[in-house]
């Protein structure tokens, strides 16, 4: 607060010195009259109060470049009320301030190339195959939020609070959604002072129930005045350039921390390049600054989704400069707006590292072909752009959502949070399907290159099992993360488990030699008759997985 007062006073003094005339008409210095000192002092007080209110309310950074508009206004006023040589000097100052203003306002017209170069995406063809022994973090945030709202009775003094912003994170090797409890208004904050904690829920298991974690937080996004997180960070770091919302991150001990991404302008006061985070303890207000390379291990989203979305727009639009993004649009790629956070979707790799996913499509209307997709490292901001198989045309996320809408048109179900995975060597969209009330109904997988190959089931893993057999039927190569060779064997069924998934039955077979096989009635309709003790001749793929996919099955025990 003291720094803002000093800053406001300094700006007020300079503004008053520019506006109030101090030289006589004949350009000779004369003793200052009392009136001029009164005018100077009065204007200083008024200017300082105005500057203080403006910066306190807007929370704007206090870099000198943020004062260009004020400088232009006071320089013009100073030139108007002055005469003689003093007017000429202040007119020069006005002209300089005008040039600065033109530079600042016109920056987007000439810094497009710098913006594009700042992103510097590494390019590859395809992401690595998904490890099907894992469960993707595919519980949609809308569904998780609905469940948290229904569990809000766990919060003490419920009427004081509401559910805050939802985000995904890895905590103790588990993927979870985190949502802080926030104040529901000014008077609730005035009476309550602190919020009681936050909710957590699995991001991989839709049957998980939200848990309320008690921990008092005095500094929150819904607090007021000096207790508001945004303002506290600004008071501690007055000159930093922030971009994106404040996010809540939980360490492995369950302690919450608010973080916000800071960086630098690309040119003038335009563009943004992330450089680090500011982290605030919501209990004590203690604030620390970290460069991206020094961010604590438990932080997943050091680069805000808003900053990632901005970078994607630079990469997609400015490949040939600013004017090409408006006219001609040669090689322009439009980032998708189907993401769950600021048009991007957080996903995790096999090691639990978080990335932001975005697909790019053509600027031409009516085209749902994907031109590529990007994964941005949530901790470092480094981006990899994947072109996909250039010999095939991939459907974009909007196309996948349209297929789901048509598939369940009578039930009025819709997809949310489509993410592209490499399932068994096939680029595939995995999308949760919700009903009109926001409740999760199933998971839908569709091939990006062959939209006629699609399945849905009650869980991602069940859908993957069906998808594997659907790919086999459709002629695709199911190879997981390695090349799969076709093999034949004669086995004896020691245990048989049948599971109804969607419109078909999955038959799991434990052979007497210890191997496990999986076959769908969609591939082999007569597999539903397999019983323990049957002698089976199977043709399967050597994928190295626990359950080997069967392409053909003959039951020698059934005549």
């Amino acid at each position: 607060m003291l720094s803002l007062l000093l800053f406001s006073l300094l700006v007020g003094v300079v503004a008053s010195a520019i506006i109030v005339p101090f030289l006589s008409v004949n350009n000779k210095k004369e003793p200052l009259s009392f009136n001029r000192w009164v005018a100077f002092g009065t204007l200083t007080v008024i200017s300082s109060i105005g500057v203080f209110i403006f910066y306190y309310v807007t929370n704007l950074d206090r870099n000198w470049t943020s004062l260009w508009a004020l400088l232009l206004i006071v320089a013009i006023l100073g030139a108007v009320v002055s005469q003689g040589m003093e007017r000429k000097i202040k007119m020069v100052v006005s002209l300089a301030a005008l040039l600065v203003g033109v530079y600042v306002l016109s920056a987007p017209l000439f810094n497009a190339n710098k913006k594009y170069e700042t992103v510097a995406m590494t390019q590859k063809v395809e992401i690595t195959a998904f490890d099907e022994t894992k469960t993707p973090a595919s519980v949609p945030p809308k569904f998780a939020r609905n469940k948290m709202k229904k569990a809000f009775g766990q919060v003490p003094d419920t009427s004081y609070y509401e559910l805050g912003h939802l985000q995904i994170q890895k905590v103790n090797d588990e993927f979870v959604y985190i949502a802080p409890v926030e104040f529901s208004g000014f008077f609730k904050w005035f009476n309550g002072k602190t919020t009681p904690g936050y909710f957590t829920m699995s991001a991989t298991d839709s049957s998980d129930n939200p848990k309320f974690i008690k921990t008092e937080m005095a500094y929150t996004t819904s607090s007021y005045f000096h207790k508001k997180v945004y303002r506290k960070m600004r008071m501690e770091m007055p000159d930093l350039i922030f971009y994106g919302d404040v996010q809540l991150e939980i360490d492995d001990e369950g302690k919450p921390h608010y973080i916000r991404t800071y960086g630098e302008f690309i040119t003038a006061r335009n563009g943004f390049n992330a450089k680090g985070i500011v982290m605030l303890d919501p209990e004590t207000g203690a604030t620390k600054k970290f460069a991206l390379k020094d961010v604590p291990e438990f932080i997943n989203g050091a680069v805000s989704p808003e900053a990632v979305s901005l970078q994607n727009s630079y990469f997609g639009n400015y490949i040939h400069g600013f004017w090409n993004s408006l006219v001609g649009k040669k090689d322009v790629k439009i980032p998708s707006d189907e993401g769950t956070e600021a048009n991007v979707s957080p996903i995790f790799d096999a090691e639990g590292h978080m990335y932001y996913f975005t697909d790019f499509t053509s600027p031409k209307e009516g085209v749902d072909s994907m031109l590529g997709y990007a994964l941005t490292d949530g901790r470092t901001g480094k981006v990899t752009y994947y072109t996909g198989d250039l010999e095939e045309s991939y459907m974009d996320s909007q196309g996948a959502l349209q297929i789901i809408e048509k598939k369940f048109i009578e039930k009025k179900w819709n997809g949310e949070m489509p993410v592209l995975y490499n399932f068994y060597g096939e680029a595939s969209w995995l999308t949760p399907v919700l009903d009109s009330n926001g409740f999760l109904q199933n998971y839908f997988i569709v091939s990006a290159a062959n939209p006629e190959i699609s399945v849905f089931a009650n869980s991602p893993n069940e859908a993957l099992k069906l998808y594997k057999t659907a790919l086999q039927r459709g002629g695709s190569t199911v190879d997981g993360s390695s090349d799969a060779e076709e093999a034949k064997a004669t086995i004896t069924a020691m245990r048989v488990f049948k599971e109804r998934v969607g419109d078909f039955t999955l038959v799991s077979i434990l052979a007497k030699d210890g191997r496990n096989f999986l076959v769908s009635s969609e591939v082999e309709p007569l597999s539903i008759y397999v019983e323990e003790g049957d002698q089976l001749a199977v043709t399967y793929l050597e994928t190295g997985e626990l359950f080997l996919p069967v392409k053909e099955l003959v039951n020698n025990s059934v005549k």
Side-chain angles (χ1 to χ4, degrees), residues 6-16 44 47-48 51 55 67 70:
L6 293 175
F7 175 81
S8 302
L9 180 60
L10 178 61
V11 172
V13 169
V14 174
S16 300
T44 297
S47 301
S48 299
V51 170
Y55 279 90
L67 296 167
L70 178 62

Side-chain angles (χ1 to χ4, degrees), residues 165 245 304-310 312 336-337 339-345 358:
H165 175 70
D245 288 335
S304 68
E306 292 86 357
V308 173
S309 185
L310 189 66
N312 289 333
S336 166
D337 59 358
T340 59
E341 294 187 28
N343 297 332
V344 297
S345 293
T358 311

Side-chain angles (χ1 to χ4, degrees), residues 27 35 43 59 70 98 111 177 183 230-231 249 363 372 497:
N27 296 330
N35 288 340
L43 195 56
N59 223 31
L70 178 62
L98 179 61
N111 68 358
Y177 280 111
F183 291 107
Y230 296 93
R231 184 161 291 117
E249 295 263 357
F497 178 74

Side-chain angles (χ1 to χ4, degrees), residues 127-143:
I127 55 176
T128 57
F130 180 79
D131 183 359
E132 66 188 80
T133 63
K134 308 290 185 180
T135 300
S138 52
V139 174
K142 184 176 180 180
F143 173 71

Side-chain angles (χ1 to χ4, degrees), residues 416-461:
E416 181 182 290
M417 196 178 75
V419 175
L420 194 72
Y421 287 90
N422 182 347
F423 290 142
Y424 314 113
E426 186 87 2
S428 313
W429 289 104
L430 170 64
T431 309
V433 180
L434 306 179
D435 62 20
S436 57
N437 295 316
F439 291 104
L440 181 64
Q441 295 299 323
N442 59 52
Y443 290 89
F444 192 90
I445 303 179
V446 59
S447 168
N450 303 292
E452 67 276 6
I453 301 177
S454 64
V455 299
F456 61 91
N458 293 330
S459 72
N461 295 99

Side-chain angles (χ1 to χ4, degrees), residues 479-493:
D479 61 3
S481 57
S482 60
D483 294 330
E485 296 181 359
E486 191 174 290
K488 296 185 178 182
T490 300
I491 62 172
T492 300

